[in-house]
Every structure is written in C-alpha cells, then in structure tokens.
Amino acid sequence: MFGKEFSQARQNELTSFLKLILVGVFLLCSASMAYSDTAREIDVSVDVTLEQFNKEVPGASSFIKKAKGVLVFPSVIKVGIGIGGEYGEGALRIGGKTADYYSTMAASIGFQLGAQAKSIVIVFLSEDALKQFRNSDGWKAGVDGSVALISLGMGDSLDTTNVKDPIVAFVFSQKGLMYNLTLEGSKFSKLKR
C-alpha cells in the first residue's frame, strides 16, 4: 500500500514539473514574440547580417545578386527545456530593397536545454518559388516548398558550387556557418510593418 502511494506522489510531482516546464517555455516564447522590431530596426539588422554573410561565405555577394529574392532573419532565438520554440523577424529583399517583412517560428520536442541565437539567409533562385512563397498565407518549409541547406567545405565558394535547388538556405551563428540543421517545419508569415 505504501509503495502505491509513494508512486502516485512521484507521478504527481512529475506531472507538475512537466506542466511547469511547458508554462516556462510558453512564457519565454510569448515574450520573444511580443517584442517586435520596427521596420527600420529590422532593415538595419538585415544589412548587418548580409555584411556578415558576404564576409563568411566566399562568392556570396555575386550569388545574392543573381537571386530573385533573399529572405533574411538576423536573429532567430531558440529556447527549449525538453519542448522548444523559436522565433525571429526579418525582411524579404528583392533587387536589394525590402519588399516585405516576415516572422519565422517553429516548435520542437526532444532533448534540449537552454537558448541559442542564429541568423538565417534564404535565397530564392527561381521566380516561381519566390512567387509561391509571397502568395502563401503562412508558408511552411518542407510542406509548401523544399529548402536545401548549403554547407561549404574548406576552399569552396558559392561561385564554384553548382546549386540547382530553387530555394537554398544558410544558417550561421556568431561562430560561423552552421551545419546539420534543418528548417523543416519552420513557418514563415508576413508581418504588417
């Protein structure tokens, strides 16, 4: 009898702990989503991110000039304690000028603890892919379109890499270009700015 009561008490504690974690993750994600940059702040951050991208990735400048559009998220914050969420705001540039503002968000479940920030640059190489993205109401990577993540080896540059995918992405942190990541399941929604 004592064993069942103890077991029930442990189960209640675990349930309470999991609820606390869920509430914590929800509050952290809500706080980041509640904070919205102005259009000017987003544009300045996008400029800085593109400068960093051009410095880190050989051939990036000429690659971007050939693009039909470039979607840049200067800072996507990911927070997780078992269950995670990420959020960021950015701008779609067409011909070097901001056309629209977007947010990105995603959720994940699995072993994770802490927070991290990353920058994402998504390059649209096909007019059709860009048009489909812009005409969608909440475009989801992996569902509404496939996004190929580009990783470059030592000595590689974008002008020597044969990119055939209509949409490619680069993810990097303060430490440089990141590998083995996915944008699958990330949702992109137009912002009103």
Side-chain angles (χ1 to χ4, degrees):
M1 185 79 179
F2 180 72
K4 286 185 179 180
E5 289 174 5
F6 179 75
S7 178
Q8 185 64 36
R10 290 289 285 163
Q11 192 173 17
N12 288 342
E13 285 178 10
L14 182 60
T15 302
S16 296
F17 179 70
L18 290 174
K19 287 179 184 176
L20 181 64
I21 288 173
L22 286 173
V23 168
V25 169
F26 175 76
L27 290 175
L28 287 171
C29 291
S30 296
S32 68
M33 286 184 235
Y35 173 77
S36 294
D37 290 329
T38 65
R40 174 86 177 115
E41 290 170 329
I42 292 172
D43 285 333
V44 168
S45 296
V46 166
D47 289 338
V48 170
T49 302
L50 286 173
E51 284 178 32
Q52 179 187 0
F53 179 66
N54 288 330
K55 285 179 189 173
E56 284 191 26
V57 179
S61 181
S62 60
F63 184 73
I64 286 180
K65 285 179 185 171
K66 295 176 188 172
K68 304 302 179 194
V70 180
L71 181 60
V72 181
F73 293 96
S75 182
V76 178
I77 306 295
K78 181 176 183 176
V79 178
I81 305 173
I83 297 172
E86 63 182 45
Y87 181 82
E89 294 179 350
L92 174 66
R93 299 263 173 104
I94 298 175
K97 296 184 178 98
T98 298
D100 292 304
Y101 296 96
Y102 285 85
S103 68
T104 180
M105 67 175 66
S108 58
I109 297 174
F111 180 74
Q112 52 196 323
L113 178 63
Q116 70 175 11
K118 61 186 175 187
S119 299
I120 301 172
V121 176
I122 300 174
V123 182
F124 294 89
L125 298 171
S126 132
E127 194 67 52
D128 287 341
L130 178 61
K131 186 177 180 180
Q132 182 182 6
F133 175 80
R134 293 189 79 195
N135 290 335
S136 70
D137 183 31
W139 192 87
K140 200 167 188 179
V143 175
D144 298 311
S146 179
V147 180
L149 278 165
I150 301 293
S151 60
L152 301 174
M154 292 296 286
D156 285 345
S157 68
L158 281 175
D159 50 357
T160 61
T161 304
N162 192 4
V163 179
K164 295 181 179 168
D165 297 287
I167 307 171
V168 296
F170 303 84
V171 180
F172 53 98
S173 68
Q174 291 178 344
K175 296 179 183 176
L177 205 57
M178 299 171 75
Y179 305 104
N180 299 325
L181 292 175
T182 181
L183 295 178
E184 195 96 0
S186 295
K187 185 176 179 181
F188 302 92
S189 302
K190 194 178 287 189
L191 294 172
K192 293 180 182 173
R193 292 282 187 265

